[in-house]
Structure formats: structure tokens, C-alpha cells
Amino acid sequence: MAQDVAAVELGLLRAAFRTLGAGVMVFDQDERLVLWNAWLERASGLAAGAVLERDFSALFPELCGGRVHQALRTALRQGLSALLSQTLNRSPFALHGADGERMPQAVQVTPLLLQDGQRFCMVHVADVSSQVARENQLRRQAKELEALVHADSLTGVANRRRFDIHLEGEYRRAQRNGTPLSLIMIDVDCFKQYNDNYGHQQGDACLIAIARILASVVARPQDLLARYGGEEFAAILPDTDAEGAAIVARHMHDAVRRLAIAHEYSSVAPRVTLSQGICTVGPGVFSDLTAFVETADRALYRAKAAGRNRSESA
């Protein structure tokens, strides 16, 4: 009777081992593989008969001496378990999911000690693809939310909050590295008259078009174009000296002129134009970020006072 019960238990264990929804491999004290379940056969494409009795180093030469191998040896020699970090060991084994992509894995290494003193080690491998997909989705959503928080709702370029953060970071970097940093303050000339006569809807369309064309000029990854407020924009140009900033400002003027947005109520020109104030900071020039912005602002006011549709440098 006892033998019948043991046989049933053994049969159940074998059935459970075959149908387990995770990978289970067991190594003996000589690091030879003695168990390899059906889940691993499917995920690896290797039948048990092709891998059993082979040692760990022969089966997984790319993992030899690595974290998984070290955890296996620690389990066999010291009887200590290990749960390998998914961040550091995301896909250690060459296992693939239904989509054919390498499977993200959670790996747990557990020592097994039989009554007769034999030592074994079980390596449990779980598919964490769905968890990784959720993490990636949350990361994407967080980035999208951050982009929305830092984007101007009308024009889509950076907003004032993003401008402040970016400028502070680039100002500190310029001081630390001894590199130039330029700031261009930009004002759409006679925009109140444009808005009052053409209507707010067309005024919004005008700002959107200008933001888009200015962003195409301020195109380097480290540059930033922001809507500073109302009809005013600002361009942060790291690693850009005064001469380079003047060139960028001229390209902005040319780009807006090519838009040829009619403005019959402007006192400057029959089309929409820009006024710009440029300031460049270098090592030891300013110790105060506020002074940097105010200097660019004063240059902008000089451009407006001198007749608009021009740039002035500090």
C-alpha cells in the first residue's frame, strides 16, 4: 500500500514538473544537469535528452563565471539561495517567447539537500515579459506626461517652466565647463494689433506657425525653444558664442520672413516680423542667472525701441 502511495506521489510530481508554467532545471553537486522540464524544452528549443548530464559550463558557456553561475556554486557549496536582480540579469538564458523575442526572465536559485546528504541546486526561471511590458508602458506614459507638463498647450514647444529648468541646468554646466551659453529673447512685432484686428483664432494660428518655424531653426538636441509668455519666445543655445547666436537669430528672422504672414496693421512691415535680444555668457561673465536673463531682455527692448524687426546683442 505504501509503495502504491509513493508511486502515485511520484507520478503526480512528474506530471506537475512537466506541466509547470515556468522553467525548472536541477543540477547535481558536480554542476551536471539532471532535470529539465517541458517548459524549458519549448522556450529553448532543446529537448531534455539533448541537455541532460551535461555540466553548466558546457550548456551555458556565455554564463560561465557570471552571476547565475556564481549563485549556482554558492547554493551547492554553502546552501544559500539567491534571487537574481531582473535589472542586472534580465535575460540570462537563451529562451524565447511565442513572439520569437528573447524572454525577460526572473531567476531564482535554490539549494536542495536530500536525506542521504546529496546536494542539488534548482534554478527556477519565470517569464516576466508581461511585467516588463507594463513597466515599459508606465515609463512611456510617465515620459508623455512629463512632456505634457513641460509643453506649451498652444504651440507645443517648451513652456516657461521647462525653460526655467533647462536654463538653470545649462547655465550651471556652462560655468562648470567654461563653455559659452547664449540666450535669445524673441518678440513677435505688433502682435496686439494682429490679434485685435484678425481675431484670437488667427492670432493663435500665427503663434503656432512661428513656434514651428523657430523650432526648426533651434534644432540641436541640447538647444531649447520655449514660449516665454504671450507672443514672446526664448531660445537657449548651449555651447554657442556670440557670433553663433547672431547667426541663429538671423536664421530665425529669415525663416519667419519666408512664412510671409500678412500683417497690414503692423507699423513695421506688411508681414509678421520679429525683434530679438541676444546675450552670451562665458566663464566669469555673470555670477547670477537672473542677471543673464535680464540682460537679454534689455537687448530685446533696445531692438524694439530701435524700430523692431531686428536683433540687438548685449
Side-chain angles (χ1 to χ4, degrees):
M1 184 66 178
Q3 290 181 344
D4 292 340
V5 172
V8 170
E9 289 179 346
L10 181 60
L12 289 173
L13 287 173
R14 287 174 174 170
F17 184 73
R18 285 195 303 270
T19 60
L20 193 64
V24 175
M25 60 186 94
V26 177
F27 295 86
D28 66 13
Q29 57 191 6
D30 296 319
E31 298 183 15
R32 288 194 305 264
L33 184 69
V34 295
L35 286 175
W36 181 264
N37 74 342
W39 188 93
L40 285 171
E41 289 185 319
R42 293 190 299 271
S44 68
L46 298 172
V51 295
L52 291 176
E53 299 302 322
R54 299 178 65 187
D55 64 36
F56 183 93
S57 298
L59 281 171
F60 311 111
E62 72 281 5
L63 301 180
C64 187
R67 289 185 175 88
V68 177
H69 197 189
Q70 291 172 5
L72 172 71
R73 289 183 168 178
T74 300
L76 288 171
R77 296 171 185 175
Q78 302 177 31
L80 299 176
S81 300
L83 180 61
L84 302 185
S85 165
Q86 293 179 37
T87 303
L88 298 177
N89 309 272
R90 178 148 285 186
S91 303
F93 296 101
L95 305 176
H96 298 83
D99 58 1
E101 297 293 324
R102 187 149 176 152
M103 178 191 300
Q105 304 149 32
V107 178
Q108 185 170 0
V109 181
T110 306
L112 301 173
L113 180 62
L114 301 189
Q115 290 181 346
D116 60 6
Q118 292 187 78
R119 288 183 179 272
F120 294 86
C121 176
M122 179 177 69
V123 179
H124 179 274
V125 183
D127 180 1
V128 293
S129 299
S130 59
Q131 179 181 336
V132 170
R134 284 195 299 271
E135 290 174 354
N136 290 339
Q137 182 181 11
L138 289 173
R139 196 173 293 111
R140 286 193 300 270
Q141 290 174 342
K143 287 183 178 179
E144 290 171 0
L145 180 59
E146 182 181 8
L148 288 173
V149 169
H150 288 154
D152 175 59
S153 59
L154 175 64
T155 63
V157 300
N159 60 14
R160 177 66 179 271
R161 179 182 179 187
R162 178 60 182 150
F163 169 85
D164 291 339
I165 294 171
H166 192 75
L167 183 61
E168 182 176 358
E170 290 300 334
Y171 191 83
R172 289 178 178 175
R173 189 175 71 85
Q175 287 186 317
R176 184 172 61 250
N177 298 339
T179 54
L181 172 66
S182 291
L183 174 64
I184 306 177
M185 303 300 289
I186 308 154
D187 191 76
V188 181
D189 293 330
C190 305
F191 187 74
K192 183 179 186 304
Q193 289 81 357
Y194 188 98
N195 233 4
D196 290 346
N197 289 280
Y198 293 106
H200 291 287
Q201 187 172 355
Q202 194 163 335
D204 288 349
C206 175
L207 291 176
I208 292 169
I210 289 174
R212 186 178 295 120
I213 201 69
L214 294 182
S216 72
V217 176
V218 184
R220 297 182 306 172
Q222 68 269 34
D223 295 343
L224 183 78
L225 177 76
R227 188 180 180 195
Y228 196 72
E231 69 275 18
E232 195 169 355
F233 295 88
I236 301 171
L237 307 174
D239 301 311
T240 304
D241 60 16
E243 183 180 357
I247 292 172
V248 173
R250 186 165 63 250
H251 288 168
M252 288 180 176
H253 272 294
D254 294 342
V256 171
R257 184 172 60 251
R258 287 194 299 272
L259 284 177
I261 301 174
H263 190 353
E264 59 184 306
Y265 302 97
S266 171
S267 59
V268 180
R271 62 181 182 278
V272 170
T273 57
L274 301 178
S275 294
Q276 297 169 307
I278 307 169
C279 184
T280 299
V281 63
V285 176
F286 291 122
S287 59
D288 179 41
L289 180 59
T290 302
F292 179 41
V293 178
E294 289 177 349
T295 302
D297 249 334
R298 285 195 295 270
L300 171 61
Y301 287 127
R302 286 201 305 274
K304 293 163 71 173
R308 305 177 186 266
N309 191 22
R310 68 187 66 216
S311 299
E312 288 286 338
S313 297

